[in-house]
Amino acid sequence: MPFPVELLTTPAECDTVLTALNQERRVFTVRDQVLDLQADQSADRATDRNQDLAAATASVTRLTPLVAGLTPGSAEHATLDRLLTRAQRRVEDLSTPAASAARTPTAAFLKAVDVRQVAVQVLELEAAIAEVTARRAAL
């Protein structure tokens, strides 16, 4: 459905509308880029978390038999036991789902709606700019 560009009767009106539309397109383009960046960072964080969990689990697996084979009270036992305890806590921390509201199904759904709205808005603004630009050229 075309925009009602016939309402614009002078090049000055077209210029005013184009300035406003271009500004709004810039805002939505930035929002689109921010949403893309957030999605990329979220995927990176999930990958990093999985890698950190695997490393911590490997440390627990490696340290458990070492600590069990050492004499309790020795310096080496104390040091490795601290490392094992730290690795076990890290595994627990990384295994516990984050309590972030952004990770709830409703938040994820609303984020998806926002992404689609921004994408559609940018396309609509570009269509409006093209129509007003054509109208201005026709005046």
Side-chain angles (χ1 to χ4, degrees), residues 62-122:
R62 181 178 49 82
L63 290 170
T64 300
L66 290 174
V67 171
L70 294 172
T71 305
S74 69
E76 189 177 14
H77 180 272
T79 300
L80 291 179
D81 191 47
R82 271 195 308 275
L83 290 174
L84 176 58
T85 301
R86 208 176 295 155
Q88 289 168 330
R89 285 185 185 143
R90 184 84 173 128
V91 167
E92 287 176 25
D93 290 345
L94 292 169
S95 297
T96 305
S100 170
R103 294 190 179 161
T104 65
T106 53
F109 176 84
L110 293 173
K111 181 70 122 182
V113 170
D114 194 29
V115 167
R116 285 179 60 180
Q117 284 177 319
V118 169
V120 169
Q121 188 69 26
V122 169

Side-chain angles (χ1 to χ4, degrees), residues 5-83:
V5 292
E6 64 279 353
L7 296 173
L8 305 174
T9 58
T10 68
E13 290 173 342
C14 291
D15 290 342
T16 299
V17 169
L18 285 171
T19 299
L21 290 173
N22 279 310
Q23 177 63 30
E24 192 169 351
R25 179 178 60 179
R26 283 182 60 207
V27 167
F28 278 98
T29 300
V30 168
R31 282 190 64 203
D32 190 36
Q33 292 169 346
V34 167
L35 290 169
D36 284 346
L37 177 61
Q38 287 173 343
D40 291 346
Q41 287 175 330
S42 178
D44 289 345
R45 279 194 296 271
T47 299
D48 291 345
R49 185 180 178 104
N50 288 337
Q51 289 171 347
D52 290 347
L53 178 58
T57 302
S59 292
V60 169
T61 301
R62 181 178 49 82
L63 290 170
T64 300
L66 290 174
V67 171
L70 294 172
T71 305
S74 69
E76 189 177 14
H77 180 272
T79 300
L80 291 179
D81 191 47
R82 271 195 308 275
L83 290 174

